[in-house]
Amino acid sequence: MTPVPPGRGPVHDTIGQSVPGNIRTTYGVNLRSHLEVPEINRSTHPVDPWRWVETSPKASALGVSETQFAVANGYLGMRGNPEEGRDSHTHGTYVNGFHETWHIKHAEDAFGLAREGQTMVEAPDTKTIRVYVDDEPLRVSEADLEHYERSIDFRDGILRRELTWRTPAGKKVVIRTTRMVSMVEKHLAVMTYEIELPEEPAPVVISSQVLNRQDGEDEYHSAEAAPEGFDPRRSDGFDHRVLEPVVSDGQRGYQVHGYRCANSGMSIAVAVDHVVETEDEIDMSVESDDDASKVVYHAHATPGRVLRLTKLAAYHTSEKVPAGELADRCARTLSRARDRGVEDLQRTQRDWYDHFWHRGDVEVDGPPETQQAIRFNLFQLAQASARAETYGIAAKGVTGSGYSGHYFWDTETYVLPFLTYTMPRFARNALRFRYSMLDKARARARFLSVNGALYPWRTINGEEASAYYEAGTAQYHINADIAHAMVKYLWATGDQEFMIREGVDVLVETARMWVSLGFFADDGCFNIHGVTGPDEYTTVVDNNLFTNAMARFNLAAAAVACKRIAELGDGRWAAICRRLKIDDGEIAEWRRAAENMVIAYDETLGVHPQDQDFLAKEVWDQDLEHPRRPLLLHFHPLVIYRHQVLKQADVVLAMFLRGDEFTEEHKRANFEYYDPLTTGDSTLSAVVQSIIAAEIGYCDEAFEHFSKALVVDLADVHGNAAHGIHVASAGGVWSALVSGFGGMRDYRGDISFDPRVPAEWGALTFRLTVRGTHVRVRCTHTEITIVNLNGADFDCTVQGQAVTVPAGETLTMGLDERARACLPRAETSTGEG
């Protein structure tokens, strides 16, 4: 059987209707046009390239502002609630991986359906610091404020707030606060609260609290937090007490609470220490019970004197260690932090972020608000991933409870590229997390009657948590997404040791799954039936193009990895063969399946069908006004499934990830066909559409898609930013900048550039780390400059021309007309008439 050429697989008669011409003109359909980008109010959110700022406590909806001003490090996250605890949409302090389990009740059960739901649990909240002047409480939303500014600084990850309050009695009160989750001490949060009365004396009370909000709200909980209507993107709730008290101890200025999750058995300990500095006399009292504790300071404030409270909070969690031992760990964390002091903790935080921006910053010569939004997205990637370490990277990081804190394929496809090419150690941690879940993936494969391993579509603990299998478990492509991320990491870093010790196990077991899932038809072609691709508006189909293209890569990569390890000749291949029970015949079967994979192509339309029957479906022609979007909230799934309508890019994503297997002609035709059918109901879509639009020279479309993705959370484009940061979209913004407008590609470890800088910008500058070499790349419409900052010589190609940039040197070279394609026509003219 002749191998099926990339992008030219067999065409099936079941494709059905083939409509010639561009679907834009044939049907007049453009489903993506509904998504209008809300304007950001710049009078309350001023432009600052290094900060996100609000000048009014009512600048945004509560839930959105709590997400935007969250501080996190990938392990611990605190939402941007006001220190005083009210008003609020969703109080939230989250620890990565800390979750409760619950039995999934299916209305109609079947073998192999997911049995155990998993939901991220709110950790005890230590953010609350209430203040009373003359026994009048400060409630920021209602207070008479002469001045207010709150900002989160991308350069140090510190949330700062300064306000001037006139009490009902007319007394002037100046309050300054900071909140930081440490990037250096992953278990530590540092908060300060300063209060000063510059004009008149007054009695002041500060109440610093720890609250178990998971099992009960405080008396000031806002009704706004109550969910309204159906939205599967929100977190699941509980019908039982979740945190069972194990440790409760309140001492003079010191509080500790320990709990055990009722079903999952996970344990958590939280400890808080205080330092008070003032020249005035102060009294203190302590109250504590199982679910709350408070340390209350009473002072008679004198004009001109500052009362400063430093609050240190430590969080430790475990699957097996009891809460009492975790409490001891908290005590050690706090002791170390107290010895160092706030100034040193903040200085090392700034040092950490200096290194992060040195490695990962992206700069544009363009509007400053664009630069602000870019850095906001990159900053969120740091907050979601830096200290995740042995845990995954959740869809919302640790900034909100959206999607119940689950890990999806989003991480490998959208977040890992940024980490791989800027902070590869973080990428390695994320991949090692998938390796740690391999045994549970093997068990899941057995439930689905396939060999090898099958990773869950959504999970926290490694078990499949998706009860809706059509759009969940059926997304087998997650196996290939993980394999793809591992191989890209190997290409970018040269980390052969990771591949030999752990990565090869994942490649082998995922390849085995594909061979047992698919089958060779009579014509010798390898088919994969009954799967769902990334587009969740089209489910359980045959020969989904994205799935087949990625499975093809997975199979070939597993075979190549085995071959190269065997060629090392150091004896480790024999040990791998014994461990995984591999033989040459099995590897040959992977190759045969990859070489004969069905990659369907419709000759009449000149496009790749999203799946075997996609083109036979009716094109969506219903009147879709904005209030009826996203479709999943307004239409039964069966209505959506029978139409040519996409939640997110599917074929277009395949053309980005496996771009060397599609011609430019194919990319243009596929983009023209699928772009107008894509609703953009998923935040994962716009960034990929932008990348391919830039590659094929559709500059207006590229910039339009990018502009929507850039402010997904800043402008609450999809109406659900209140549930947490869209971490994958933030990662996609980096890819749209570097791979879209910067034209960077990495096929088999060969880095190439073919820039498409938007007309709205003068230049684009980004950083990459490739096999230990750190480079800075600056692209304009006419030239590219590559600076080799350290390491070995940097080899790459620029618009097809091979170049080498020696260590410590700079290369500048001109670009041809492709780079000028995005300029307005007048600017691309030669001036010769």
Side-chain angles (χ1 to χ4, degrees):
M1 174 68 187
T2 304
V4 183
R8 289 286 180 178
V11 182
H12 298 272
D13 293 336
T14 54
I15 286 176
Q17 66 180 28
S18 294
V19 182
N22 187 331
I23 193 168
R24 299 178 196 231
T25 57
T26 303
Y27 291 105
V29 173
N30 190 348
L31 295 175
R32 66 176 176 84
S33 61
H34 83 282
L35 199 59
E36 299 298 330
V37 181
E39 290 288 333
I40 296 173
N41 186 341
R42 289 302 177 180
S43 64
T44 56
H45 291 296
V47 176
D48 186 321
W50 282 106
R51 298 187 306 156
W52 180 245
V53 184
E54 68 176 12
T55 58
S56 166
K58 300 178 181 179
S60 301
L62 277 174
V64 176
S65 68
E66 289 166 9
T67 293
Q68 293 171 346
F69 289 98
V71 290
N73 64 7
Y75 171 76
L76 173 64
M78 293 178 160
R79 283 177 65 78
N81 308 106
E83 282 74 5
E84 295 75 25
R86 52 190 188 259
D87 291 342
S88 69
H89 175 277
T90 307
H91 284 288
T93 297
Y94 305 104
V95 177
N96 195 348
F98 184 59
H99 69 280
E100 176 66 311
T101 58
W102 45 277
H103 178 68
I104 298 175
K105 297 179 180 179
H106 297 277
E108 296 185 21
D109 211 345
F111 176 81
L113 296 184
R115 300 295 177 197
E116 184 180 85
Q118 306 140 42
T119 301
M120 180 168 59
V121 172
E122 281 198 38
D125 186 9
T126 60
K127 300 190 299 294
T128 302
I129 303 172
R130 295 196 172 120
V131 64
Y132 306 81
V133 177
D134 282 332
D135 290 329
E136 293 287 349
L138 171 60
R139 185 169 183 174
V140 174
S141 63
E142 298 177 356
D144 181 4
L145 299 181
E146 296 181 354
H147 167 72
Y148 175 93
E149 181 180 284
R150 182 166 67 153
S151 67
I152 189 161
D153 197 318
F154 310 144
R155 292 165 294 193
D156 57 18
I158 298 177
L159 176 64
R160 295 176 173 87
R161 186 188 62 167
E162 182 171 335
L163 60 87
T164 302
W165 168 38
R166 283 288 178 184
T167 70
K171 294 183 179 180
K172 184 177 183 178
V173 184
V174 177
I175 293 176
R176 291 176 290 271
T177 66
T178 68
R179 184 185 301 162
M180 178 186 90
V181 172
S182 177
M183 289 292 187
V184 179
E185 297 278 354
K186 72 180 262 188
H187 301 278
L188 180 69
V190 181
M191 293 156 275
T192 66
Y193 199 105
E194 291 183 357
I195 182 169
E196 179 182 0
L197 279 70
E199 298 174 350
E200 300 178 63
V204 172
V205 175
I206 296 179
S207 176
S208 176
Q209 305 183 8
V210 179
L211 299 168
N212 171 16
R213 297 185 184 277
Q214 177 62 55
D215 296 300
E217 298 289 348
D218 66 57
E219 64 272 30
Y220 298 105
H221 175 63
S222 172
E224 185 182 338
E228 295 183 3
F230 164 75
D231 191 341
R233 299 170 295 184
R234 283 198 297 260
S235 175
D236 301 299
F238 298 101
D239 59 3
H240 65 276
R241 181 181 176 99
V242 175
L243 297 180
E244 299 174 341
V246 177
V247 177
S248 180
D249 188 15
Q251 303 176 21
R252 187 172 177 81
Y254 184 84
Q255 303 149 283
V256 60
H257 293 267
Y259 300 91
R260 178 186 181 277
C261 283
N263 294 335
S264 72
M266 291 197 73
S267 53
I268 186 170
V270 179
V272 174
D273 194 9
H274 297 88
V275 178
V276 178
E277 302 167 83
T278 181
E279 297 178 37
D280 295 318
E281 292 187 6
I282 193 165
D283 294 323
M284 182 184 71
S285 61
V286 179
E287 300 177 22
S288 181
D289 60 30
D290 286 345
D291 289 323
S293 61
K294 65 176 72 172
V295 179
V296 183
Y297 299 93
H298 304 258
H300 193 84
T302 304
R305 292 181 176 178
V306 175
L307 171 59
R308 176 184 170 98
L309 172 69
T310 298
K311 185 175 187 178
L312 304 173
Y315 290 78
H316 282 263
T317 58
S318 177
E319 294 181 5
K320 299 178 181 178
V321 177
E325 181 178 331
L326 297 181
D328 294 338
R329 297 182 188 178
C330 287
R332 291 193 292 271
T333 299
L334 293 179
S335 176
R336 189 165 58 247
R338 187 164 185 165
D339 289 344
R340 290 181 57 187
V342 172
E343 289 74 17
D344 184 59
L345 290 167
Q346 291 182 345
R347 179 187 58 79
T348 56
Q349 180 92 338
R350 176 63 183 254
D351 292 344
W352 189 96
Y353 270 103
D354 283 346
H355 177 73
F356 171 80
W357 291 113
H358 177 65
R359 291 284 178 175
D361 195 14
V362 178
E363 302 163 273
V364 297
D365 293 348
E369 55 267 30
T370 300
Q371 187 66 71
Q372 180 186 40
I374 289 171
R375 289 199 174 114
F376 177 88
N377 281 279
L378 301 183
F379 173 71
Q380 298 304 333
L381 292 172
Q383 292 208 131
S385 65
R387 302 308 304 268
E389 297 177 353
T390 57
Y391 297 98
I393 300 170
K396 298 290 186 179
V398 279
T399 63
S401 60
Y403 297 109
S404 300
H406 290 165
Y407 316 126
F408 294 78
W409 66 289
D410 308 12
T411 298
E412 285 73 27
T413 303
Y414 292 89
V415 180
L416 262 293
F418 169 76
L419 299 180
T420 295
Y421 292 102
T422 61
M423 310 292 282
R425 178 167 58 87
F426 301 163
R428 193 177 196 271
N429 288 339
L431 293 170
R432 294 200 69 246
F433 167 72
R434 288 297 192 183
Y435 171 76
S436 74
M437 297 170 65
L438 184 57
D439 283 342
K440 288 189 175 181
R442 287 168 171 145
R444 185 62 183 160
R446 291 193 291 273
F447 270 110
L448 272 293
S449 301
V450 290
N451 298 331
L454 177 57
Y455 280 92
W457 178 64
R458 61 187 296 173
T459 189
I460 296 178
N461 62 12
E463 302 285 349
E464 176 63 81
S466 174
Y468 191 57
Y469 68 88
E470 295 96 327
T473 303
Q475 294 199 44
Y476 292 81
H477 65 83
I478 188 171
N479 263 25
D481 304 329
I482 293 169
H484 186 262
M486 284 188 168
V487 174
K488 294 280 280 189
Y489 168 80
L490 174 64
W491 290 346
T493 64
D495 188 356
Q496 292 282 358
E497 287 303 307
F498 166 73
M499 186 58 68
I500 293 170
R501 291 200 305 267
E502 297 175 344
V504 68
D505 293 52
V506 175
L507 293 184
V508 166
E509 296 288 38
T510 52
R512 284 171 167 165
M513 192 284 296
W514 292 119
V515 169
S516 63
L517 177 67
F519 66 96
F520 289 96
D522 292 341
D523 61 1
C525 293
F526 190 77
N527 295 257
I528 299 176
H529 287 184
V531 301
T532 299
D535 170 33
E536 294 162 20
Y537 285 173
T538 311
T539 65
V540 192
V541 299
D542 297 340
N543 290 320
N544 169 256
L545 182 124
F546 178 88
T547 302
N548 286 21
M550 295 296 287
R552 176 183 188 144
F553 176 87
N554 191 166
L555 290 160
V560 170
C562 291
K563 178 176 182 291
R564 290 184 177 174
I565 295 172
E567 289 173 348
L568 294 175
D570 58 5
R572 287 189 284 183
W573 173 240
I576 291 171
C577 288
R578 288 193 298 271
R579 182 173 77 241
L580 298 177
K581 298 180 174 57
I582 305 172
D583 59 46
D584 291 342
E586 182 179 23
I587 296 173
E589 189 76 350
W590 301 341
R591 290 197 184 96
R592 188 165 77 94
E595 291 168 354
N596 293 277
M597 184 72 68
V598 170
I599 305 292
Y601 182 77
D602 183 89
E603 296 285 354
T604 304
L605 276 178
V607 300
H608 292 82
Q610 180 170 293
D611 61 72
Q612 189 164 296
D613 300 312
F614 184 82
L615 300 181
K617 295 181 178 180
E618 179 186 3
V619 175
W620 190 289
D621 60 357
Q622 299 193 42
D623 182 22
L624 295 180
E625 298 298 328
H626 181 67
R628 304 192 78 189
R629 311 298 284 273
L631 301 188
L632 76 157
L633 300 187
H634 300 280
F635 294 90
H636 191 284
L638 291 177
V639 177
I640 299 172
Y641 295 165
R642 67 173 178 259
H643 288 92
Q644 290 190 46
V645 60
L646 281 63
K647 181 183 178 185
Q648 62 203 65
D650 196 305
V651 173
V652 173
L653 178 59
M655 295 192 302
F656 169 49
L657 299 182
R658 304 302 318 129
D660 56 341
E661 298 187 358
F662 296 85
T663 68
E664 184 173 349
E665 176 190 18
H666 292 152
K667 291 177 182 178
R668 181 171 288 105
N670 287 331
F671 181 85
E672 288 182 351
Y673 191 89
Y674 291 106
D675 188 61
L677 297 180
T678 307
T679 64
D681 288 349
S682 168
T683 59
L684 303 181
S685 194
V687 288
V688 176
Q689 290 166 280
S690 177
I691 291 169
I692 295 301
E695 180 179 355
I696 62 177
Y698 286 10
C699 304
D700 291 343
E701 286 91 339
F703 196 75
E704 176 191 352
H705 285 303
F706 173 78
S707 298
K708 292 174 182 176
L710 184 63
V711 294
V712 157
D713 292 309
L714 291 180
D716 193 17
V717 174
H718 288 256
N720 63 342
H723 306 149
I725 289 293
H726 293 83
V727 177
S729 179
V733 166
W734 181 86
S735 290
L737 289 162
V738 173
S739 297
F741 302 134
M744 190 277 281
R745 296 290 187 275
D746 183 359
Y747 300 130
R748 292 171 292 280
D750 298 326
I751 303 293
S752 62
F753 302 99
D754 191 0
R756 302 285 193 277
V757 177
E760 291 80 359
W761 304 344
L764 167 69
T765 302
F766 54 90
R767 285 92 175 146
L768 298 173
T769 298
V770 180
R771 291 181 286 281
T773 297
H774 183 207
V775 300
R776 183 173 66 244
V777 182
R778 186 175 190 271
C779 307
T780 71
H781 301 102
T782 58
E783 65 182 23
I784 184 171
T785 299
I786 304 172
V787 182
N788 188 336
L789 299 171
N790 72 299
D793 292 353
F794 179 67
D795 297 319
C796 64
T797 61
V798 176
Q799 292 187 327
Q801 179 179 343
V803 298
T804 297
V805 187
E809 295 191 13
T810 299
L811 170 72
T812 298
M813 62 183 294
L815 299 171
D816 64 24
E817 66 278 359
R818 286 173 290 177
R820 294 190 288 276
C822 290
L823 281 172
R825 186 178 302 276
E827 296 184 40
T828 61
S829 171
T830 62
E832 299 176 357

